[in-house]
Amino acid sequence: MEGALMRGEPISKITDDILADIISRVPYKSTCCCKCVSTRWRDLISHPDHRKKMPQPLAGFFHESYNKNRFPRCARYFTNVSGEGEPLVDPSLSFLPKYNGLDILDCCNGLLLCRCWKATDPKTLDYVVCNPATERWVVVPATDWSSKVNVVRLGFEPTVSSHFHVFEFIDEETWGIDESELSDCDGCIETLAIYSSKAGVWKHRSLDIMFAIPTSSRGVFLNGALHLATSNNFIVVVGVEGNNWRLIDIPMPPYYDDAPIVGVFLSQRQLYFTNYYYDSDGEELSVWALEDCYSEKWTLKHNVSHLELFGASYSSFGNLYNVISFYPGRNMIFIICGYENMLMSYDMDRRKLCFICQLGRDCQIGWDKTLCIPYVPLYSEPLADGH
């Protein structure tokens, strides 16, 4: 291949800037393959002037712990994907303005969405969207419901636009529906508020479909639309204007009630979901991929029993685990399991489980699953109007 390029193939005439722009638009796995094309391509991708444009690998996870016997009781951490070394990101986000409290709500393609409580009034807040890699940030004004909303997500695609969107899913009770008129769907979403960084305003959309979203449900922003797993065991899809709603059915496992959607994830430009269920052969974890978003065709990509997944050493984790992320460019998932919240990776191609590190029991937040937010750095400057 390199010889062909040296002999004057058309692609060899492309300037470095144009070639770097082309490569920056492909997934991370393809970028790694591009390094093998020629020494020119390898050096181009590795050069500091171009590296910041290229897709980056998963760097690690933000997570919190709570211990009533210490001060402060709540602490925030960043764990590298290797589980070793100093955190690649300062989890305190010290470059942001000082607030009375800060919660990381979501991460999308390198940007963090934070809810920041003001010291002047503990009931008032700002949303802050920031880029830890460049330490740039922008304030998003709160709505009248922001202090009570449980599900807020971020939408951002740097290869499409430098602008982002914030989605507030406002349930019936928060919206002010009278208790006697509440639906049978616990936590049913009544209204969606969407903020556009381009327009600088919020828009509200009333909904004509009934669903609820678990607080820990991870979102995927793909092709200009947000995808979220619901408590009703389907996936809801909404565009940035809030007009185009779609519901995507998922394959029904043998025992529907025992098979919640553990999460919706993005890997290699495909949408995935995972669930676990129980049948006559025991407990299993299954991984499904959406092959065609228009025909809504799902394909079973992987299936593994809990016994094979955890083996004898970790057999007690069968009912105490949670899939938290996919590796962007590989058939690999990340799992937190056990009372001590052990972070582990599972290579689906090799069917191999690897221990990364132990996050500790303090990272368990109440009865809910441990909340870990995966982070992939973005070294470009998308927040043009930020600080």
Side-chain angles (χ1 to χ4, degrees), residues 24-41:
S24 70
R25 299 173 186 273
V26 304
Y28 172 72
K29 184 177 181 180
S30 298
T31 302
C32 294
C33 294
C34 288
K35 292 181 180 181
C36 302
V37 171
S38 70
T39 54
R40 179 202 175 197
W41 286 36

Side-chain angles (χ1 to χ4, degrees), residues 61 216-218 260-266 272-276 284-287 304 306 309-310 317 320-327 332-337 342-346 348 353 369-374:
F61 304 91
S216 58
S217 177
R218 295 282 303 137
I261 303 177
V262 177
V264 181
F265 308 97
L266 182 65
Y272 288 79
F273 81 85
T274 63
N275 65 4
Y276 55 86
E284 293 187 341
L285 169 70
S286 60
V287 179
V304 59
H306 288 179
L309 176 61
F310 295 110
F317 294 164
L320 293 170
Y321 76 98
N322 186 28
V323 178
I324 61 169
S325 180
F326 274 56
Y327 198 88
M332 176 181 288
I333 60 177
F334 292 89
I335 300 171
I336 287 183
C337 47
M342 299 174 68
L343 176 62
M344 310 183 84
S345 66
Y346 175 67
M348 291 183 283
L353 186 72
K369 303 286 188 181
T370 299
L371 182 62
C372 280
I373 297 179

Side-chain angles (χ1 to χ4, degrees), residues 128-256:
V128 173
V129 175
C130 67
N131 184 347
T134 62
E135 298 191 351
R136 294 181 65 84
W137 51 274
V138 61
V139 174
V140 174
T143 70
D144 294 338
W145 302 270
S146 296
S147 61
K148 298 180 181 179
V149 171
N150 292 321
V151 180
V152 189
R153 296 295 179 261
L154 179 66
F156 173 61
E157 286 183 290
T159 59
V160 177
S161 172
S162 61
H163 295 285
F164 61 83
H165 293 81
V166 178
F167 299 78
E168 272 192 346
F169 292 85
I170 307 170
D171 62 44
E172 292 176 319
E173 187 174 352
T174 300
W175 186 248
I177 302 296
D178 187 85
E179 185 176 353
S180 62
E181 298 179 0
L182 295 178
S183 65
D184 295 333
C185 176
D186 187 30
C188 184
I189 302 301
E190 173 69 20
T191 302
L192 173 66
I194 303 177
Y195 176 85
S196 164
S197 65
K198 182 178 183 179
V201 295
W202 288 91
K203 292 183 179 180
H204 292 79
R205 302 292 185 187
S206 298
L207 310 183
D208 56 3
I209 56 177
M210 186 178 296
F211 64 91
I213 302 173
T215 303
S216 58
S217 177
R218 295 282 303 137
V220 167
F221 192 73
L222 179 65
N223 298 328
L226 182 67
H227 303 67
L228 278 170
T230 71
S231 301
N232 316 69
N233 272 10
F234 57 79
I235 295 171
V236 63
V237 184
V238 57
V240 294
E241 295 299 326
N243 294 324
N244 300 322
W245 288 86
R246 283 198 302 127
L247 301 179
I248 300 179
D249 291 324
I250 65 168
M252 294 298 181
Y255 299 99
Y256 176 77

Side-chain angles (χ1 to χ4, degrees), residues 19-26 28 31 44-47 50-57 377-379:
L19 183 57
D21 185 66
I22 294 173
I23 298 175
S24 70
R25 299 173 186 273
V26 304
Y28 172 72
T31 302
L44 181 75
I45 294 171
S46 302
H47 195 281
H50 301 296
R51 186 172 52 200
K52 66 181 183 180
K53 302 178 183 178
M54 304 301 172
Q56 301 296 317
L378 175 69
Y379 292 105

Side-chain angles (χ1 to χ4, degrees), residues 10 15 42 110 112-113 156 177 231 276-277 303 312 335 355 376:
T15 65
R42 181 199 63 198
L112 294 183
L113 171 63
F156 173 61
I177 302 296
S231 301
Y276 55 86
Y277 61 89
N303 203 41
I335 300 171
F355 171 81
V376 177

